């Protein structure tokens, strides 16, 4: 059921990666990074469903990795779970305040870790669905005004960067209120979906 989902493991210790990979490889597509910079880059390129992140890494601690991921619009919605030997409550609080969705300390019990990962991925699926529904008209399935406004800003910026023109087509159905009044809203709904 969950095999199509991807998990990015960011940890500088190969044995830690191996333990998690063996436990998760049957259920998820795995990506691996051994440094914070590589992890951020992979997350930006592949948009995984979940990131498992160690705290203690050379050159960039996991806390900084999490902060950067959560401050980047391309990666901010990816759930982050710290998996670390640092069991200090202050570290856990810091990680959660940076936007991490969970904080698991070692030694851990693999069935519990798998259950927490499954729960995070299911929660992300539901969140993604709500996000998509918030951008689509329920009757027609066409992008709504909110999505139009967002797309217009993005496309305008893209065209400005590429020094290209932008075109916009606005379509209106003349006298549609009269149609609704005459045939009823049910027929009006059918007409709208056909248009």
């Amino acid at each position: 059921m969950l095999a199509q989902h991807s998990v990015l493991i960011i940890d500088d210790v190969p044995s830690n990666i191996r333990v998690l990979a063996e436990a998760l490889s049957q259920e998820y597509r795995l990506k691996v990074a051994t440094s914070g910079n590589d992890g951020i880059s992979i997350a930006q390129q592949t948009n995984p469903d979940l990131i498992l992140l160690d705290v203690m890494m050379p050159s960039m601690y996991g806390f900084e990795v999490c902060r950067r991921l959560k401050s980047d619009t391309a990666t901010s919605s990816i759930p982050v779970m710290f998996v670390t030997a640092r069991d200090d409550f202050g570290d856990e609080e810091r990680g959660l305040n940076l936007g991490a969705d969970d904080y698991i300390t070692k030694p851990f019990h693999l069935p519990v870790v798998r259950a927490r990962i499954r729960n995070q991925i299911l929660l992300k699926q539901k969140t993604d669905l709500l996000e998509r529904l918030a951008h689509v008209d329920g009757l027609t399935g066409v992008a709504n005004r909110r999505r139009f406004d967002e797309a217009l800003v993005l496309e305008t910026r893209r065209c400005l960067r590429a020094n290209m023109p932008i075109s916009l087509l606005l379509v209106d159905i003349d006298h549609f209120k009269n149609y609704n009044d005459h045939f009823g809203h049910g027929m009006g709904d059918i007409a709208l979906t056909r248009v």
Side-chain angles (χ1 to χ4, degrees):
M1 175 180 126
L2 300 174
Q4 71 273 20
H5 298 290
S6 62
V7 175
L8 170 60
I9 302 170
I10 306 174
D11 197 320
D12 65 310
V13 179
S15 60
N16 293 343
I17 293 171
R18 195 169 26 260
V19 167
L20 288 169
E22 287 174 6
L24 302 174
S25 63
Q26 296 298 313
E27 297 176 78
Y28 305 102
R29 287 180 292 112
L30 300 178
K31 304 275 186 204
V32 174
T34 56
S35 73
N37 283 323
D38 288 346
I40 292 169
S41 178
I42 291 170
Q44 290 169 334
Q45 294 168 16
T46 65
N47 194 30
D49 295 297
L50 177 66
I51 297 173
L52 302 179
L53 178 59
D54 187 24
V55 172
M56 298 297 295
M57 292 186 294
S59 75
M60 187 187 310
Y61 271 26
F63 293 131
E64 178 61 15
V65 174
C66 184
R67 188 193 67 73
R68 290 186 187 186
L69 289 167
K70 293 301 180 178
S71 65
D72 182 351
T73 55
T75 56
S76 63
S77 65
I78 302 170
V80 174
M81 291 176 64
F82 280 107
V83 181
T84 180
R86 294 182 62 107
D87 62 355
D88 179 72
F89 288 124
D91 286 337
E92 183 174 357
E93 178 185 9
R94 181 177 179 194
L96 295 172
N97 283 334
L98 285 169
D101 297 271
D102 204 350
Y103 192 99
I104 301 170
T105 58
K106 301 173 189 172
F108 49 75
H109 186 58
L110 281 173
V112 173
V113 172
R114 280 195 296 267
R116 289 172 119 166
I117 289 170
R118 182 192 67 241
N119 290 345
Q120 285 298 329
I121 288 182
L122 291 173
L123 182 60
K124 183 176 189 307
Q125 279 182 299
K126 292 175 183 176
T127 303
D128 290 348
L129 176 61
L130 285 174
E131 184 70 26
R132 282 192 301 275
L133 291 175
H135 289 94
V136 174
D137 176 73
L139 175 64
T140 62
V142 175
N144 63 18
R145 173 65 187 264
R146 175 183 295 163
R147 180 65 190 119
F148 170 81
D149 290 344
E150 292 172 356
L152 183 60
V153 168
L154 291 173
E155 289 303 313
T156 301
R157 288 179 184 162
R158 185 179 63 82
C159 288
L160 287 171
R161 282 193 310 271
N163 197 26
M164 296 177 60
I166 188 168
S167 298
L168 180 65
L169 178 65
L170 181 62
V171 178
D172 186 27
I173 303 172
D174 289 337
H175 312 292
F176 193 71
K177 182 185 179 322
N178 295 340
Y179 185 91
N180 265 345
D181 291 346
H182 182 74
F183 294 104
H185 289 279
M187 291 303 292
D189 289 352
I190 291 170
L192 279 176
T193 57
R194 286 184 179 167
V195 170

